[in-house]
Amino acid sequence: MAEAKEVDKNVILLPQTNQLIGLYSIIRDQRTKRSDFVFYADRIIRLLVEEGLNQLPVEEAIIKCHGGHEYKGAKFLGKICGVSIVRAGESMEMGLRDCCRSVRIGKILIQRDEETALPKLFYEKLPDDIRDRYIFLLDPMLATGGSAMMAVEVLLSRGVKSEQIFFLNLLAAPEGIKAFHSKYPDVKIITGGIDERLDEDKYIVPGLGDFGDRYYCI
Ligand code: URA
């Protein structure tokens, strides 16, 4: 099976297989209707979550199999928690739940402050023991990185260490990766695609448009 590649320090790109490129071709197509967008975006989200799980540390576990045979297996070290950046990040919660039964999920709402045009924290709801968990930070588009950086700040203020955080997104802009890692180099970014650039409205190019609108509205 093709393996995800660390294309830069702490930037992990899903293997660009024909299957994955086929999935992106559907969700990037502006003619794709909402039900198909949701179905194929969900498939990519599932791959991102699986890769996030691949990145978690494990310890060796010797398993006793039938007839007393031994299997040298692995056991996850520690618990995880999803944290979605509302609204678009919520689209990734089900993919996480599909892989991790009864996983805890926290939420952070960050919106643009109309006066300053800067991201502003409006709401956070996180499990009390979040500092003891590995965090899957969920936001489908890493554009400028402003919201994700603010979300990481909230997590750090709760005692989470940056090495515990894995930021899962479907598409990333080079500008966003650079800004994010200049502040939080130890957070692992796990992405399905790295696009060319941002346009003047801070949309990813070629991108797929507004992810939240396409997933929830249009
Ligand atoms: N958010 C989106 O939904 N799309 C972009 O291209 C950038 C940010």
Side-chain angles (χ1 to χ4, degrees), residues 61-130:
I62 303 296
I63 309 300
K64 281 261 187 270
C65 306
H66 73 101
H69 300 290
E70 281 190 352
Y71 171 74
K72 209 195 296 175
K75 190 168 152 254
F76 282 118
L77 284 173
K79 301 171 284 184
I80 69 167
C81 170
V83 173
S84 60
I85 301 182
V86 179
R87 147 192 85 154
E90 292 174 301
S91 65
M92 302 173 76
E93 293 177 3
M94 192 46 77
L96 179 57
R97 288 190 200 286
D98 285 345
C99 297
C100 309
R101 256 188 320 164
S102 64
V103 65
R104 296 284 166 80
I105 296 190
K107 289 183 193 276
I108 294 180
L109 173 62
I110 293 162
Q111 283 184 333
R112 221 168 91 108
D113 186 307
E114 291 306 326
E115 278 170 24
T116 63
L118 294 170
K120 182 174 170 191
L121 176 67
F122 278 85
Y123 171 83
E124 60 175 290
K125 188 80 187 164
L126 302 167
D128 290 338
D129 64 349
I130 193 155

Side-chain angles (χ1 to χ4, degrees), residues 87-88 139-144 171 173 195 197-199 201-214:
R87 147 192 85 154
D139 196 9
M141 306 293 273
L142 169 52
T144 62
L171 277 184
D195 271 8
R197 61 183 170 88
L198 294 176
D199 69 12
D201 298 317
K202 309 297 180 202
Y203 276 86
I204 296 175
V205 178
L208 50 76
D210 187 301
F211 187 95
D213 281 356
R214 294 197 66 188

Side-chain angles (χ1 to χ4, degrees), residues 1-3 19 34 38 46 50 57-58 75 83 88 96 99 105 112 116 124 151 154 160 181 192 194 205 208 210:
M1 209 168 69
E3 277 196 23
Q19 181 194 186
R34 188 180 154 260
V38 169
R46 176 69 183 249
E50 300 280 7
V58 290
K75 190 168 152 254
V83 173
L96 179 57
C99 297
I105 296 190
R112 221 168 91 108
T116 63
E124 60 175 290
V154 172
V160 175
H181 265 165
I194 300 173
V205 178
L208 50 76
D210 187 301

Side-chain angles (χ1 to χ4, degrees), residues 28-55:
R28 285 178 189 275
D29 191 330
Q30 58 184 349
R31 296 166 306 177
T32 296
K33 58 183 199 297
R34 188 180 154 260
S35 59
D36 287 332
F37 184 88
V38 169
F39 181 82
Y40 291 102
D42 283 349
R43 286 198 50 201
I44 297 171
I45 290 164
R46 176 69 183 249
L47 296 171
L48 287 166
V49 170
E50 300 280 7
E51 184 51 38
L53 295 171
N54 283 338
Q55 297 293 328

